[in-house]
Structure formats: structure tokens, C-alpha cells
Amino acid sequence: MINIILFGPPGAGKGTQATRIREAYGLAHLSTGDMLREAVAAGTEIGKQAKAIMDAGKLVSDEVICGVVADRIEQRDCAKGFILDGFPRTVPQAHALDELLARKGKAIDVVLLIAVDDEALVERIERRNQESGGARSDDNVETLKSRLKVYYEQTEPVLPVYREKGLIREIDGMQSIDQVTSQIEQVLSAIQLTGG
Ligand code: AMP
């Protein structure tokens, strides 16, 4: 069992890599962005509130998102371990996650920090928007700028929380998708060999 946080700016490739490691290790993939997009599509109360916030590239409140994650982590497919993708995104979310996991006798085993240059992110987001035919209404340069600002102001400050615990492993996100996956696999096998 291994519990992973995939960390990095928007467009770093967290979703792509999460899908690959989920398959290879049989883990649950918990993407808070996907959960919110599903809520928007289903027209739930949370979805209605989240839509405008997401389109503006801002963050949904800690309370709402922590509630969503707490429910999701209860589900049976998380028992063998999970990959958190896009959560925690603020220091209070990181603390809430710690408490939530501690109550269940669980913990985060590793934080994979996917590092990518800002210019590359803008290119990737533009490409993703074109390739998906605009499927994500927040994949445009204007919203990306706001998402990046939010990342540096609110999300990066989460890193020291995990750095103190010695949990961060940096991955070079400028490599090809396959190279990033293999670097992640190397890190994960080293962790599994040493038993956490
Ligand atoms: P993502 O797919 O991870 O890029 O998330 C898309 C959008 O969903 C973000 O820009 C936020 O508006 C919202 N969101 C996703 N995860 C979180 C989170 N952990 N906290 C607050 N808002 C979030």
C-alpha cells in the first residue's frame, strides 16, 4: 500500500502521470479537479458554486474541498492506497488531510513534485485546449495566468509542510511523458523496497 500526493503547477502532467501509476500499482486516483468537474456536469449544489470559481482560475473553499476528499477517501477502492492529484492546494488543506489520515491510521508516503518551467506550462495548456476542442473551460491563457498565480501564492507554501517530513521527491517534468513515468516508477520502487 502506498499513498501518494502528486504535486505541481497546472499543466505539469499530474493527471496523465496519475492515470499511468494508478494502472501500474492498482491505486485509486483522486483528482479533486475531476470531482468538481463531475459535480458541475451533474448540476449538484457544490457544482453550481464551483463553476464560476473554476472558470476564474481561483480555488474552491477549503471546507468544501476537504469534505469532498473526506467522503472519497472512505470508499473501498482507496484501501490499497491512493494518488491525490490536485489536493492539497493550500496549507489548511494539507493540515486537514493530515488529521483525516491520522484518524484512520494512515499517512502520506511520498509527495512527487513535478517541476516544469512556466513557459512550457502555457504552451501545454494551449495545446491541451486545442486537442480537447475546449473541453475544459478553464484551459485558456487568461485563466491559466490566474491558476499559476494561485499556485505560487497558495499552493507552493504547502511544500515546506512535507519537506519537513522528508517526503518530497522532485521529478523533472520537462522530460518526455514516458521519461517522467519511469522516473516516478524508480522513486516508487525505491520507497516500496525500503518499506516506506
Ligand atoms: P485541476 O483539474 O486540478 O487543475 O482543478 C481545476 C480547478 O478546480 C482548479 O483551478 C480549482 O478551481 C478547482 N480545484 C481543484 N482542486 C482544488 C483544491 N484542492 N482546492 C480548491 N480548488 C480546487
Side-chain angles (χ1 to χ4, degrees), residues 67-80:
V68 169
V69 171
D71 288 347
R72 183 64 186 83
I73 269 180
E74 291 291 339
Q75 289 174 28
R76 200 185 301 165
D77 64 335
C78 293
K80 286 194 193 144

Side-chain angles (χ1 to χ4, degrees), residues 60-111:
V60 171
S61 79
D62 289 337
E63 198 187 342
V64 165
I65 205 79
C66 290
V68 169
V69 171
D71 288 347
R72 183 64 186 83
I73 269 180
E74 291 291 339
Q75 289 174 28
R76 200 185 301 165
D77 64 335
C78 293
K80 286 194 193 144
F82 51 79
I83 307 160
L84 284 167
D85 161 11
F87 180 92
R89 251 174 160 103
T90 66
V91 170
Q93 288 180 19
H95 290 143
L97 174 66
D98 255 12
E99 283 168 25
L100 177 75
L101 294 178
R103 277 201 299 275
K104 302 177 146 303
K106 296 183 181 196
I108 294 298
D109 297 297
V110 66
V111 177

